Amino acid sequence: MKTLTPEVSGILDKLYNLRGEDSVILVEMEKQKNKAEETKERTTNEKKNLQQKISELEKLHEELDEQGEKLKEVLSGINRDDYKTVLDRLRIDFNPKALVDKLDHSLPKTIDTVKDDTKKAEDELVKVEEEMNNAITTIEELGIRKDAALSNQEKLNEYFELALTGRINITRDSITSLLEQFSFTEEEQREAAKLLMFPEDALFTYDEKMKAKEKTGKSIGEVIAEAKSASIEEPTIEKTKTIEEPVQEEVEETKPYDKKEEMIETLQKAGMDYLDFNPKEIDELLANFDVNIVESNIELMNKKGLGLDIFNGHIALMYDSELAEKMELLVNSGKELLDLYLNPTVLEKYTKEALKNRMNEIKNNGLDLKEVPLMAY
């Protein structure tokens, strides 16, 4: 019988997350859609303003050109000597020829400035329209991808229902090809196919825990965070007490630094329970614990919108001082955050320099980093 080991539990975590409304795939798509819709709204307003600006500049150009020619024509037909007595008597500085010369000198420059402003606005309009069209395309593509994701989710839920009722009659290839759509590695596909085609205690135990916790009204994601079977003993912290002095005062003055207690408090402050990790993971984290690094990496995952369950089965990521830099390298190479969430092993496998070297090897082989799956790293 297959027991609910951390490895099996990790695969079931992924599968059950993908079955719910808070599936990492659906959540990421929703984020991308919201971002695209914000871009569409912003660029639509920018396009409207730029079109109005261009229209006003074109009108200004037309009026400067037309009125300038008329004014030069009028001034050229005036002989100052015909009005010399009046102009001199009233001390009016009116020189038609000088004004014509000024128009000939200044008007073309002014018109060129308006032309330049119009060209800049038109170039900006092209960029804004391109950004707007890309956002519209993204929204349409996400709609199609979401329909496909929901269809795949429905099929996955159907497979689970059949497996849990002992009626599954689906081929291994059907399951693995479906899981491939969810970016499961080949090893994960094989293991998941076994769990569904030959359901044993592990699957039923996990499902019972999920159903029991779902009754609390929590999302699948929240349930998964509490669905681990591994546990470790609650640490006991010995405190020295004296008869002569109050207990509270004695604890405050003599309580020694407890690294394990600080680790547990750090996890609790982030909304994590140390009981979600198995004893081996806790020992590893304790041996490498640095509160600043751990808090920084937890904050990093929260900022990126990734679930903190990424640390389950990959505890080394929590104390990895190069985690942010490695994630940045992969994202800059064209990888989505969802790729990293589903394939965190690559972050755990390499140091920053080793990852750079591996990426250079891939590029030197003539391959596009964006197209090479993380499982091939």
Side-chain angles (χ1 to χ4, degrees):
M1 290 290 185
K2 188 177 287 295
T3 58
L4 193 57
T5 63
E7 292 76 15
V8 173
S9 182
I11 290 176
L12 288 171
D13 286 347
K14 283 189 179 181
L15 289 168
Y16 271 76
N17 172 268
L18 293 168
R19 294 184 63 192
E21 293 180 1
D22 55 352
S23 158
V24 290
I25 292 177
L26 296 177
V27 169
E28 181 62 25
M29 283 185 183
E30 190 62 24
K31 288 180 181 176
Q32 292 178 14
K33 180 185 175 186
N34 290 339
K35 184 177 179 180
E37 287 178 340
E38 289 174 2
T39 300
K40 178 187 173 184
E41 182 179 357
R42 172 178 57 78
T43 52
T44 298
N45 291 331
E46 289 179 358
K47 177 182 177 180
K48 181 180 177 181
N49 293 334
L50 284 167
Q51 287 176 328
Q52 182 178 348
K53 181 178 180 179
I54 291 169
S55 177
E56 291 172 353
L57 287 168
E58 288 175 341
K59 182 180 178 182
L60 176 60
H61 180 188
E62 182 181 343
E63 289 177 349
L64 284 170
D65 199 22
E66 182 180 337
Q67 292 177 21
E69 287 301 318
K70 285 183 179 179
L71 183 56
K72 282 197 293 182
E73 184 179 346
V74 170
L75 290 171
S76 297
I78 298 175
N79 185 343
R80 188 183 188 285
D81 290 341
D82 293 342
Y83 310 96
K84 185 177 184 303
T85 302
V86 174
L87 295 173
D88 290 346
R89 188 68 178 178
L90 298 179
R91 297 180 181 177
I92 296 175
D93 185 14
F94 176 65
N95 188 334
K97 185 179 184 307
L99 290 174
V100 170
D101 290 342
K102 186 173 183 180
L103 281 170
D104 286 336
H105 177 73
S106 300
L107 186 59
K109 291 183 179 179
T110 301
I111 290 176
D112 286 343
T113 300
V114 173
K115 285 182 180 179
D116 289 342
D117 290 343
T118 304
K119 180 67 167 57
K120 289 178 183 177
E122 288 173 341
D123 290 343
E124 184 64 23
L125 179 61
V126 171
K127 293 179 182 178
V128 167
E129 286 181 329
E130 183 179 359
E131 188 178 7
M132 181 182 71
N133 291 333
N134 287 340
I136 293 172
T137 300
T138 298
I139 292 170
E140 292 173 350
E141 289 177 348
L142 284 170
I144 296 171
R145 285 172 54 196
K146 185 174 182 179
D147 288 342
L150 288 172
S151 176
N152 288 336
Q153 185 184 67
E154 184 178 355
K155 190 178 295 185
L156 181 63
N157 281 326
E158 178 187 345
Y159 288 178
F160 264 89
E161 290 304 316
L162 292 172
L164 290 166
T165 55
R167 296 182 291 113
I168 195 161
N169 58 353
I170 300 165
T171 64
R172 177 180 175 277
D173 287 344
S174 297
I175 297 174
T176 55
S177 62
L178 174 62
L179 296 179
E180 189 176 3
Q181 304 301 312
F182 294 117
S183 299
F184 272 57
T185 65
E186 290 185 6
E187 183 181 348
E188 289 172 332
Q189 291 172 32
R190 288 195 296 270
E191 187 64 30
K194 290 178 187 177
L195 288 168
L196 291 172
M197 294 179 70
F198 309 105
E200 298 182 8
D201 290 349
L203 178 60
F204 295 115
T205 299
Y206 190 98
D207 190 69
E208 286 173 6
K209 289 186 176 183
M210 292 291 289
K211 287 177 179 176
K213 291 178 179 290
E214 281 176 351
K215 290 179 181 179
T216 64
K218 297 179 179 179
S219 68
I220 287 183
E222 292 172 317
V223 172
I224 286 175
E226 301 173 1
K228 311 297 186 213
S229 61
S231 63
I232 61 174
E233 289 187 1
E234 183 75 35
T236 57
I237 303 170
E238 295 185 0
K239 300 180 178 69
T240 304
K241 300 181 182 179
T242 64
I243 297 175
E244 294 78 16
E245 297 180 53
V247 173
Q248 182 62 33
E249 182 179 343
E250 181 68 19
V251 169
E252 290 177 353
E253 290 182 358
T254 64
K255 179 180 176 181
Y257 168 70
D258 189 318
K259 186 176 180 181
K260 189 169 187 176
E261 184 179 30
E262 183 182 33
M263 177 191 71
I264 293 171
E265 289 177 353
T266 301
L267 295 177
Q268 289 175 339
K269 188 167 64 174
M272 304 171 73
D273 190 338
Y274 76 95
L275 293 174
D276 288 340
F277 301 92
N278 62 50
K280 184 178 178 182
E281 288 176 316
I282 288 296
D283 289 342
E284 181 182 344
L285 179 58
L286 187 60
N288 298 277
F289 185 74
D290 181 308
V291 65
N292 293 324
I293 294 175
V294 171
E295 287 182 341
S296 177
N297 287 343
I298 290 173
E299 183 181 2
L300 174 66
M301 292 305 169
N302 285 329
K303 282 185 177 179
K304 298 295 184 183
L306 299 178
L308 296 182
D309 58 334
I310 193 173
F311 295 122
N312 295 107
H314 304 280
I315 199 68
L317 297 180
M318 194 175 285
Y319 58 81
D320 186 349
S321 62
E322 299 180 329
L323 181 60
E325 295 169 286
K326 290 189 287 187
M327 288 180 67
E328 185 177 2
L329 280 173
L330 291 169
V331 170
N332 289 340
S333 74
K335 296 303 178 188
E336 299 288 339
L337 289 173
L338 180 60
D339 294 330
L340 304 186
Y341 177 82
L342 295 177
N343 299 278
T345 303
V346 70
L347 294 168
E348 197 172 26
K349 181 179 178 182
Y350 294 101
T351 63
K352 181 181 71 173
E353 286 305 314
L355 179 59
K356 282 183 180 179
N357 293 336
R358 178 57 184 150
M359 293 168 75
N360 287 331
E361 286 177 10
I362 293 172
K363 288 191 290 186
N364 292 336
N365 288 328
L367 300 175
D368 185 347
L369 288 172
K370 186 176 181 181
E371 301 301 326
V372 176
L374 288 177
M375 69 181 70
Y377 275 60

